[in-house]
Amino acid sequence: MTRPNFLDRNQDVISVSSLNRMARDLLEAGIPPVWIGGEISNLTLAASGHGYFSLKDGGAQVRCVMFRHKLALLPFRPQEGMQVELRGQVTLYEARGEFQISVGEMRAAGLGRLYEAFERLKARLQAEGLFDSSRKRELPAHPAAIGIITSPAAAALRDVVSTLRRRMPGIPLILYPAQVQGEGSAQQIANAIRQAGERREADVLIICRGGGSIEDLWSFNEEIVARAVAACPIPTVSGVGHETDFTICDFVADRRAPTPTAAAELVSPNREHLAIQLEQTKRALERALGRLLTDKTQQLDFLGRRLTHPGSKLQAQRDKLGSLSQTLRQRVHTMFDQGRWRLQLAASHLTRHQPDLAAQSQRLQQQQARLQRARDRLLERRSQQLAQLSATLTAFNPEAVLARGYAIVQKRNGQAVKNPAELQDHERVTLRLAEGSTEARIEHPQGVQPELPF
């Protein structure tokens, strides 16, 4: 067998780039995309959005890259130490000559079915509108009591309680205990949420537990928990897991907190901030009160300068009263003098124009006699006219006619009938007699109604 002569200067010399390109082509053509399982190590999420990491097992490791558009499609966020299964193309990074895998798909090792179930339930509830922002309620700024749903032994409970005691120790805390992991935990969480809603003891509700794997957090991905959160009449905050963990409960709750501690901070006012606000308000009130006191003091000084001694004011009023009294007396004397002069003038006129009472009395008696005679003549004429009218009235009085045996025929409306043609056959009429009235029914001969004359 002839060994190649690497020192043969007649052989073609290729560049490093060409060599790496040839190696890449051989790898990509010779090894199809495969599924590979292992642990994520040395994870780096670049500013460009691409992810770089190593996939390792107990005996080896391989460099991997997952580009941004593929990474954005994952239903979870890759983490250091996570066991995953990925499908990728074996290739070579030419610039460095590094053997690597270009990852196209990734799933948590052994959890593919859980993620599929997670995505199916998420899509269905989202289609029903349970995630809509329009149904999200505002959290109370100053809750009178805070409810907590978690396990009494959970570290998350200690974190929440310590945070609430630090921020606002005066707010009462109510624990609704529930198992947050394992068989039957989802039913317990849903029951605790319903109990809190029925009892209405708290103004806001924290649903929380610490971080863990997807299996550990799966109770918060159950539909029964999502329905209970959606139906809860109390505003809810979901603080499940770490910042990178997402559950169905997070999407349904009114607010999602990245951690239980953050959930406690969301629902509670900060005592230190309130103290600062109170101090600022106090100072503002002090400044406002100081300005008010200054203004009122200046106003008081101004009014004080205008204020006179009561004795001085009384003396001025006494002097004014004396002056008015003197003026009144002078005007009264003047009025009396003028009245006396007008009276004397009227008496003089009356004396000059005094009438002859005897002559006037005689003329009055004569006029009275003439009026008496005229009245007697007028009464006599009126009496004669009255007698004539009375005789005429007696002659034309229908009552007198009725007294002689006649009757007046009237319709139902009281109208007197003058012609038989005005009456219908079988029409009811009233007969008015001299003493009372009665009713009758009209029957025309052979039932023929007479015609009215034109």
Side-chain angles (χ1 to χ4, degrees), residues 212-384:
S213 64
I214 189 171
E215 300 103 319
D216 297 336
L217 305 180
W218 193 253
S219 298
F220 298 90
N221 289 324
E222 294 285 356
E223 183 173 1
I224 187 174
V225 174
R227 299 289 183 187
V229 173
C232 184
I234 305 172
T236 54
V237 176
S238 175
V240 179
H242 298 306
E243 186 173 356
T244 56
D245 296 325
F246 282 90
T247 65
I248 298 296
C249 182
D250 294 335
F251 297 110
V252 181
D254 295 300
R255 292 289 295 275
R256 184 251 177 186
T259 62
T261 300
E265 293 176 351
L266 276 177
V267 302
S268 62
N270 191 325
R271 178 176 57 175
E272 296 178 358
H273 292 172
L274 290 178
I276 293 173
Q277 293 177 0
L278 183 61
E279 182 64 25
Q280 292 174 348
T281 304
K282 175 186 174 183
R283 292 176 182 176
L285 286 175
E286 289 175 348
R287 290 193 297 270
L289 183 59
R291 288 194 298 269
L292 180 62
L293 288 175
T294 301
D295 294 343
K296 294 302 181 182
T297 301
Q298 293 177 353
Q299 186 178 4
L300 183 62
D301 292 340
F302 173 73
L303 293 175
R305 289 192 295 270
R306 293 179 56 190
L307 184 65
T308 58
H309 192 276
S312 302
K313 192 171 183 179
L314 287 175
Q315 184 61 42
Q317 291 179 348
R318 191 180 296 110
D319 294 343
K320 185 176 181 180
L321 181 61
S323 176
L324 292 175
S325 177
Q326 180 66 26
T327 302
L328 180 61
R329 283 196 294 271
Q330 292 175 355
R331 289 186 178 180
V332 168
H333 288 308
T334 301
M335 289 173 60
F336 273 119
D337 292 341
Q338 292 176 352
R340 188 180 300 109
W341 179 82
R342 284 197 296 271
L343 183 60
Q344 291 174 356
L345 181 62
S348 175
H349 283 293
L350 182 61
T351 301
R352 288 196 303 271
H353 297 88
Q354 185 175 5
D356 186 355
L357 296 180
Q360 293 293 337
S361 177
Q362 184 177 3
R363 284 197 297 273
L364 181 61
Q365 290 176 358
Q366 292 174 355
Q367 292 292 339
Q368 184 177 5
R370 283 197 295 272
L371 286 173
Q372 185 70 31
R373 289 193 296 272
R375 184 195 65 184
D376 294 340
R377 288 195 298 271
L378 179 61
L379 287 175
E380 183 177 358
R381 286 197 302 273
R382 295 302 186 195
S383 297
Q384 292 174 358

